[in-house]
Amino acid sequence: MKSKILTAAFAVLTAGALIACNPEKENNAAQGAVKTVAPATENAAAQSAQEAAKPAPEKDMNKLTLTTEWDKVFPLSEKVEHSKVTFKNHFGIELAADLYIPKDTTLKVNGKFPAIAVSGPFGAIKEQSSGLYAQHMAERGFLTVAFDPSFTGESGGEPRYMNSPDINTEDFMASVDFLSTRDDVDPERIGIIGICGWGGMAINAAGIDTRVKATVASTMYDMSRVTANGYFESANSAKARNEMRKALMAQRTKEFKEGKYELAGGVVDPLPADAPFFVKDYYDYYKTPRGYHKRSLNSNGGWIKSAGTSLLNTKLLAYANEIESAVLVIHGEKAHSRYFSEGAFEKMTGKKVKVPAKLDASKNWSMTVGNKELLIIPGAVHTDLYDDVNGRIPYDKMEEFFKTNLK
């Protein structure tokens, strides 16, 4: 069992995460009750099990097929014009994205919009959280794109359901390529938003792409840290990492021999009664009508089992302390993942974060060092910043941040 967990440890939102973390510590870190709604379909559990057992689909992803109907988990706003676009990254992978343009053209400055690229969470697609963020920011005067990362959703790249901190950082940079060359975008006013695991990718992109003038990391994960060290640093040793390496290499040999990839499994379904809080939290989003989507890895079969190799062997945020542009890091007080945001903020600023043991529920807590800010939402858990169900996403704050820094 332990080797199976290690093999799938990179996929934070898989069944392996149930045991890879420390449930007792987890529940202490994220106290509270999550309201679980009905499954997306009557046989959601059975469908999920079937999807998890399937190998990655074999199809030519060099020819993208984009859906024409609106199939997001949120309604279309009347304040924006929506369309689908594609663009290639430097690895030659074609990315699919949703473009949101404000209908109010008076929001332009000198005939151009400020722009924002959005992606995340890790294992999600643009029809979920990233599209919601993008649409909200477009309502507020920013031209936005929400894109599917390489190997996922409607974007290209093979094998399917693979990930790479290098390629996924490049995906953000490719979105900036796209935005900076549009006639209706001011190339000097471009920002990015990364959600969950893509919060880490966004900060990593800000560390290399000087065209990015402002970055928001919301409810972030440092995916290389959690892969290499385990939850709460519970597997942060050479011995533990060597065990994971052995398991990953055995899996790679098996997949090469059999000529097919195995999926690690998305969010566990059915939900065990003794599941730690954060797993219930993920279930409530990915496995219910609130956030379920047929193309989402987390809602279905998850990542390839052997896809953790790059995350285990590469450190994100290596040059985060050299980022000169503005960064806003947002997290929920009760989120199990809050320590990732605190760690990233400390890396960028060199200042220790000391969040009070008890926050004033009536206002957000923040810490600012130069043009870097950490914002903590009282009472919020990890997925509260995925959507608008609990009204926790600080859109006003993000609008203020981008308008201040995208001048």
Side-chain angles (χ1 to χ4, degrees), residues 3 42 88 120 128 202 205 228 234 263 316 331 337 359:
S3 64
E42 292 182 1
K88 286 188 177 182
Q128 296 170 311
S234 60
L263 301 184
L316 288 167
H331 225 105
S337 50
L359 299 184

Side-chain angles (χ1 to χ4, degrees), residues 331 333 355-356 358-366 375-380 392 394:
H331 225 105
E333 177 195 11
V355 180
K358 186 175 182 180
L359 299 184
D360 183 343
S362 66
K363 61 181 179 180
N364 298 331
W365 181 91
S366 68
L375 185 73
I376 305 297
I377 313 299
R392 304 281 193 156

